Amino acid sequence: MHVHEFQDMMRRIYFHRDSERAVVRTFNWLVEEVEELREALKEKDNEAIGDEFADVFAWLASLANVVNIDLEKAAIRKYNGRCPKCGQTLCKCPF
Ligand SMILES: [Zn+2]
């Protein structure tokens, strides 16, 4: 499954609710899931970490749907085999 297929699937399942919830509240859900990922990483619980990555990705796709952004196109446009900051295929940016 490609990223755009996953985003389309999220649109089919959730867009009727996501569009009603609108941008700010959908964004807030994404932030909440990122916080839950932080907690799972802190606790080093691999099953929970996987679940939270899935939730972050799902809410990111939902938010992209609400603002009509193709996540796959946007990601590839910016990260097309090179670091967008230094332009190198093997990032040489300072830490
Ligand atoms: Zn770089």
Side-chain angles (χ1 to χ4, degrees), residues 24-42:
V24 172
R25 287 172 54 212
T26 303
F27 177 82
N28 289 343
W29 271 105
L30 171 61
V31 171
E32 188 162 311
E33 294 301 341
V34 171
E35 286 296 330
E36 289 177 14
L37 175 58
R38 184 210 320 248
E39 290 304 312
L41 288 166
K42 223 188 306 184

Side-chain angles (χ1 to χ4, degrees), residues 83-88 90-94:
C83 171
K85 283 188 181 168
C86 66
Q88 302 294 310
L90 193 62
C91 176
K92 303 228 174 21
C93 292

Side-chain angles (χ1 to χ4, degrees), residues 42-62:
K42 223 188 306 184
E43 289 170 20
K44 298 181 174 151
D45 176 345
N46 265 6
E47 196 177 328
I49 290 168
D51 283 348
E52 296 306 335
F53 266 113
D55 289 342
V56 168
F57 193 50
W59 280 101
L60 187 67
S62 280

Side-chain angles (χ1 to χ4, degrees), residues 15 23 62-69:
F15 189 72
V23 177
S62 280
L63 182 59
N65 282 334
V66 170
V67 295
N68 201 27
I69 292 290

